[in-house]
Amino acid sequence: MTSARTPSRSRGATRDKLFQAAVTLIAEQGFSSTTVEEIAERAGVAKGTVYYNFTSKTELFEELLRHGVELLTADLRDAAGQVAGGGGTRVDALDAMIRAGLRFIDHYPAFTQLYVAELWRTNRAWNDTLMVVRKQAVAVVEDVLRAGVAEGELSEDIDIQLTAAALVGMVLVAALDWKAFQPERSLEDVHGALSLLLQGRVGGRGRSR
């Protein structure tokens, strides 16, 4: 049983190396300027290994976007689940998701930079995939907002779709600004500032008392 799983683990490790090499190179010099040869060299594998795992550079990048956003989505879901399991409020869950998002971006700044840049492009082969995975991430936040409204903790006037997208966008943009222009600030400091925004604009606005 152990030997049967080994090839799968090995291939997963190779794909992770290729993802890391691709995201770093593309962040440095752009998608068009990055070659398969460079990705293979940065990952420390043969060029044929790239094509064994992905049919093209485009497919590699598409899967990179999918993989990264799925990791972010899992982190957001786990953060909300831990708060719910501990008896916290829905606003507490949103706050924990903000921190989880910042922590993810702190770990993967190059991926986040690419992801945000690609959201603004409309002529890429992977646009459909990008929209699907974006919806998955935003949907996790929507679920918490929807539950908060249903339970009376949050106002019924909240536009759930737009608010969820705004919260995700707030974390992405604030974190990129943090990394680019205020790197001396700690994650806790940035989280504290965004937490105040959340508490003031979303929290504490349930049904009339």
Side-chain angles (χ1 to χ4, degrees), residues 54-156:
F54 307 97
T55 59
S56 65
K57 183 177 70 169
T58 295
E59 184 189 14
L60 189 162
F61 189 61
E62 184 174 12
E63 289 301 312
L64 166 64
L65 291 172
R66 187 189 301 276
H67 176 68
V69 177
E70 285 177 352
L71 288 177
L72 171 60
T73 301
D75 284 354
L76 297 179
R77 187 178 292 111
D78 288 346
Q82 288 176 16
V83 170
T89 67
R90 300 299 179 179
V91 174
D92 290 336
L94 292 169
D95 188 58
M97 294 166 87
I98 287 175
R99 192 179 194 289
L102 290 173
R103 188 170 59 244
F104 176 89
I105 294 165
D106 190 34
H107 289 167
Y108 305 106
F111 170 79
T112 306
Q113 180 184 348
L114 284 178
Y115 172 70
V116 172
E118 290 304 318
L119 285 174
W120 288 97
R121 302 181 190 275
T122 58
N123 59 344
R124 298 294 206 185
W126 47 78
N127 279 139
D128 288 345
T129 294
L130 189 59
M131 291 303 102
V132 168
V133 294
R134 175 202 166 275
K135 286 181 181 179
Q136 290 173 349
V138 174
V140 179
V141 184
E142 288 179 356
D143 288 344
V144 174
L145 289 170
R146 193 171 291 109
V149 171
E151 294 161 5
E153 182 183 342
L154 303 177
S155 171
E156 293 177 338

Side-chain angles (χ1 to χ4, degrees), residues 158-171:
I158 286 179
D159 184 319
I160 291 174
Q161 275 191 315
L162 190 57
T163 301
L167 287 172
V168 172
M170 175 184 75
V171 172

Side-chain angles (χ1 to χ4, degrees), residues 2-73:
T2 301
S3 61
R5 289 199 302 265
T6 300
S8 178
R9 286 201 301 267
S10 177
R11 187 177 186 192
T14 299
R15 287 168 70 91
D16 285 344
K17 286 182 182 179
L18 292 171
F19 285 148
Q20 185 60 48
V23 75
T24 303
L25 285 167
I26 294 170
E28 290 174 355
Q29 56 195 36
F31 177 81
S32 298
S33 298
T34 300
T35 66
V36 171
E37 289 84 354
E38 289 174 319
I39 293 172
E41 182 179 356
R42 181 68 66 93
V45 301
K47 179 180 176 181
T49 302
V50 180
Y51 289 114
Y52 174 74
N53 286 274
F54 307 97
T55 59
S56 65
K57 183 177 70 169
T58 295
E59 184 189 14
L60 189 162
F61 189 61
E62 184 174 12
E63 289 301 312
L64 166 64
L65 291 172
R66 187 189 301 276
H67 176 68
V69 177
E70 285 177 352
L71 288 177
L72 171 60
T73 301

